[in-house]
Each structure stands twice: as structure tokens, then as C-alpha cells.
Amino acid sequence: MKCSLCDRAAIVTQRASMRHLCQDHFVEDFQARVKDTLNRERMVGDNERIAVALSGGKDSSALLFVLAKILEERKDVEIFAVTIDEGIEGYREETVRSAKKLASDVGVEHAVVSFKDHFGLGLDEIIGGKKEAPCTYCGVFRKALLNMTAKEMGASKVATGHDLDDEAQTVLMNYLKGDIERLARLYPRKTQQGLVPRIKPLKEILEREVALYSMVNGLYSKMVDCPYAQLSLRGDVRNMLNELEVECPGTKASIIRGFKKLSEPLNRKYLQAELSRCISCGEPCIGETCKACQLLGRVRAGLNVQAQ
Ligand code: SF4
Ligand SMILES: [Zn+2]
Ligand SMILES: [Zn+2]
């Protein structure tokens, strides 16, 4: 198959538009789309210091690489990388190695912080062999630790590697759980004190294209999956959406398009709560104690939480 823009062989077909692209045109198109998202949504202002959440997997590696390229000319903007080591045996060792290599290749400051050092327990110990709700614990603790680290390192924004697949999965998961209030919080209207604002520059790009961008740029050595990934509702929703996207290209983008129309009335109905400070750790939260401290308390008391 030939590239739709030149005579070279295509390496990808963008099924929604039926456009075929060679490697050079794909890389160019990818970077232009990320730049467009950054500009359209005014994600990067003047004099920003951006913490890039770098797990060392394909999405976050692509994010760091593409941001370093796009923001190269912006002398008033600085980026650095933060890797959270959750303590998942056989998975994190490899991705932390990849993250260190990439941060050094790109030439940015890099901090690696672990659940074990901060909370006293790694994820494997928290789950304790029971394999219940690992993603719930992992997500809550990672978000909290990322926010704390970003603040300590003086970040004005946190950039995460969420792509279009992640966004569509999150919307659908909340519909499936009937959690409309949580859906309303997906697109917060205002920044909250103590919470470093988040940006998702890859949110309009399909996961397969993010993976391809990582691959053609040689950004990670081995493809390793988290051993807990298939235990979550997200894993099921992901498989279902991937099948639908093959049958009907553009489905993931349609989910987000529809959700954007809903988000305004949802935001009017569910007003963004004012955050207070956790009485235990001082992090922003709704109520007296933050979710991370609540979960940590339950782990210590030997209880489990419901899977998400
Ligand atoms: S799949 Fe779940 S447990 Fe594994 S890294 Fe992701 S959120 Fe954490
Ligand atoms: Zn081409
Ligand atoms: Zn707390």
C-alpha cells in the first residue's frame, strides 16, 4: 500500500479517514495533531514547568518524546519527568529502566518515587496475593503521589499520556457503572488549590497510533503488560471497544464527541466541590480524609475495597 501523500510505502492506515501514511508522514501528522490539541485547548501557557508522568510504557514515552520536540523552541517552558514505581514485580523493573534511559536521552530531569518509600508498602504487598481491586489501590495512590511530587518539584502542570482509547474507556466505564457524578468530574471547569492542573496532550490520538509512534522512534525496548491489567473492568471495556472500532472505525472518537456535548449540562448539574485538606496528609480532598489515606487505613486494618 502506498502513502496517500507521497510514493513511499505506507506503514499505517487511519481507518476513520481511510488515509494511508508512510513513516515520515505519519510522524509529521502525529506531531501536528498533538500540537493542535495543545494550542486549541491552551494546555501550555507562558513560563510553565511541566511534570511529565513517565511510566516507561509506550504512551508516556511517546508523550515525553513528542513534548520535548514540540516545546523545544519554547525557552520559557521546561519539562521534567516523574516515574512512579508502584512495586509490581516483573513489570515495573523493566519500565523504570526504559524511563531512565528515555529521560536521559531526551535530556530532562527525572525523579523516580515509589509507593514503598512513600506509603511504606508496594502494590504487591498491598494486594497481598488476593488480586482484588489492584487498579483501585494503584490509581488512587499513584494520583496522590504524582500530585505531591509535582508540587515538591515546582510543577505548574502535570502532563499524562492518556490517549483516545483511555478517554473513551473511562467515559464508557462510568456509564456502565451509572456513575454520572464521576463523569461530570472528568472535565473539571476550574483549577483547585493544592491540585496541580493536569493536561492530556495525546487524548485525541488512538492508542495504536501512539504505540506506532513509540515504536518508529525506538522509545522502549520491551512490551511488558502489567500482570493486574486483565483483572479490571477497564480490561473488558478495552477489549469491547477495540472490537467495535474494527467493526465501525471512529467509535472511540464518537464516544468522546458525544460526551463533550453532555459535559456542559453535567457540569451545571453537579457543581465542582470545593476541596479541603486531608487531616492526615494535607493533600486536597472532599471531606476530612483523602482517598489515599482512607485506603491505606483499610489496608492496614486488613480490609478490601470493591473493584473498579
Ligand atoms: S493495570 Fe492497574 S495495577 Fe497495573 S499499573 Fe495499571 S492501574 Fe496499576
Ligand atoms: Zn508519505
Ligand atoms: Zn491524606
Side-chain angles (χ1 to χ4, degrees), residues 24 76 92 139 150-151 153 188 195 206 222 234 262 273 294:
D24 288 356
D76 62 325
R92 265 296 168 241
K151 273 192 291 188
M153 297 183 73
L195 218 48
L206 285 169
K222 261 195 227 162
R234 185 175 288 274
L262 275 179
Q294 286 175 25

Side-chain angles (χ1 to χ4, degrees), residues 141-166:
F141 291 143
R142 190 177 41 223
K143 202 168 171 184
L145 190 50
L146 185 59
N147 191 55
M148 288 182 233
T149 311
K151 273 192 291 188
E152 274 166 27
M153 297 183 73
S156 55
K157 297 262 170 66
V158 169
T160 62
H162 293 92
D163 55 38
L164 178 55
D165 291 51
D166 298 316

Side-chain angles (χ1 to χ4, degrees), residues 3-8 21-25:
C3 174
S4 307
L5 303 174
C6 72
D7 282 341
R8 279 169 290 189
L21 294 177
C22 68
Q23 184 164 324
D24 288 356
H25 279 118

Side-chain angles (χ1 to χ4, degrees), residues 6-140:
C6 72
D7 282 341
R8 279 169 290 189
I11 61 161
V12 65
T13 298
Q14 295 174 330
R15 291 197 211 110
S17 61
M18 277 320 284
R19 204 160 69 135
H20 315 290
L21 294 177
C22 68
Q23 184 164 324
D24 288 356
H25 279 118
F26 166 69
V27 167
E28 201 177 280
D29 175 74
F30 185 97
Q31 290 171 184
R33 280 190 289 155
V34 177
K35 199 170 178 179
D36 181 58
T37 307
L38 288 175
N39 292 341
R40 191 170 7 94
E41 302 216 0
R42 297 193 180 92
M43 289 181 175
V44 181
D46 295 335
N47 304 310
E48 298 254 32
R49 179 164 156 81
I50 300 174
V52 179
L54 177 66
S55 70
K58 57 185 176 2
D59 292 2
S60 62
S61 300
L63 175 66
L64 179 65
F65 191 81
V66 76
L67 282 184
K69 272 204 177 309
I70 293 174
L71 299 173
E72 205 173 14
E73 305 289 303
R74 292 280 307 267
K75 298 301 168 212
D76 62 325
V77 176
E78 197 181 354
I79 59 174
F80 66 97
V82 177
T83 299
I84 309 285
D85 179 355
E86 300 93 345
I88 304 172
E89 207 191 328
Y91 168 61
R92 265 296 168 241
E93 300 87 344
E94 180 61 35
T95 48
V96 169
R97 249 195 308 277
S98 287
K100 283 184 179 163
K101 182 177 180 310
L102 179 61
S104 136
D105 289 350
V106 171
V108 296
E109 182 186 0
H110 183 209
V112 181
V113 283
S114 71
F115 280 10
K116 178 91 178 169
D117 288 345
H118 192 84
F119 301 111
L121 293 165
L123 189 66
D124 289 342
E125 294 162 284
I126 290 169
I127 303 307
K130 293 189 290 294
K131 305 216 163 180
E132 282 158 70
C135 297
T136 302
Y137 291 100
C138 187
V140 169

Side-chain angles (χ1 to χ4, degrees), residues 59 162-177 183 186 207 232-242 252 255-256:
D59 292 2
H162 293 92
D163 55 38
L164 178 55
D165 291 51
D166 298 316
E167 294 294 279
Q169 288 158 17
T170 302
V171 169
L172 203 54
M173 278 167 67
N174 284 305
Y175 280 133
L176 293 176
K177 287 190 284 188
L183 258 185
L186 268 184
E207 184 184 66
S232 63
L233 171 62
R234 185 175 288 274
D236 295 332
V237 170
R238 180 178 192 226
N239 294 340
M240 183 179 84
L241 275 179
N242 283 345
K252 293 167 186 171
I255 290 173
I256 297 302

